[in-house]
Amino acid sequence: MRAIILLAAILLALPARAADPALQQAMLAEVNAIRARAGRAPLTLDPRLSRAALDHSFDMLRRNQLGHAGSDGSDPGRRITRAGFAWRSYRENVGAGYQDLRQAMAGWMNSPGHRDNILAADVTQVGLGFAAGPGLMPGNIPRLFWTMVLAAPR
């Protein structure tokens, strides 16, 4: 289904947002496999974190800009709170141009800071968001934006 949404967005030159449960479950399985190999506890999927991640991915797509700051000046903590998640700790990974989840995960795992976020002991839950649009950003990077939010409740 996500592939159909993405293909339609590209063909029709419209932005796409994906909150695909299969994509989120695949991400959760991959993150938990990585954490298990490192001796870390598994995470659970939280829909509020996925909503915050999806909103941020779409915001980056609209602005054509990768970053942790939202267009309203928000940081990840503010966006997580706005989504209804009362947190005691949080982390955020963002990426652009990755064609699929496998590439996004590989990119994050090859970056020490992003890898540390995925393996952090102070998080228990995770969410994922993806947004795509036609065209390229400077540097010929496809307009495909990924956000992973990791957090622990208060």
Side-chain angles (χ1 to χ4, degrees):
M1 182 60 153
R2 182 182 74 78
I4 292 170
I5 293 170
L6 180 58
L7 180 59
I10 291 169
L11 293 175
L12 298 173
L14 299 171
R17 297 172 68 162
D20 182 352
L23 180 67
Q24 292 178 355
Q25 288 299 319
M27 177 274 305
L28 181 64
E30 180 68 18
V31 165
N32 283 337
I34 290 166
R35 289 176 63 87
R37 288 192 295 271
R40 301 288 193 276
L43 303 180
T44 58
L45 190 62
D46 186 281
R48 297 164 297 181
L49 296 180
S50 290
R51 185 172 343 121
L54 178 62
D55 289 347
H56 188 57
S57 290
F58 191 66
D59 186 43
M60 290 188 294
L61 173 66
R62 280 188 337 200
R63 293 181 293 131
N64 211 36
Q65 182 178 13
L66 179 68
H68 293 286
S71 60
D72 61 356
S74 62
D75 65 11
R78 185 167 161 202
R79 291 189 296 273
I80 294 165
T81 299
R82 196 167 37 214
F85 189 97
W87 52 270
R88 69 175 160 78
S89 64
Y90 69 82
R91 295 164 182 266
E92 181 181 74
N93 289 348
V94 295
Y98 299 123
Q99 297 291 325
D100 57 30
L101 177 61
R102 184 180 46 77
Q103 285 184 7
M105 289 299 299
W108 288 330
M109 290 306 292
N110 286 320
S111 164
H114 294 109
R115 179 184 173 88
D116 289 349
N117 287 345
I118 291 169
L119 294 174
D122 67 343
V123 296
T124 58
Q125 294 164 303
V126 64
L128 180 73
F130 169 76
L136 300 171
M137 295 187 301
N140 291 326
I141 299 169
R143 295 181 65 232
L144 307 170
F145 291 91
W146 299 83
T147 306
M148 175 187 284
V149 177
L150 307 106
R154 256 190 255 162

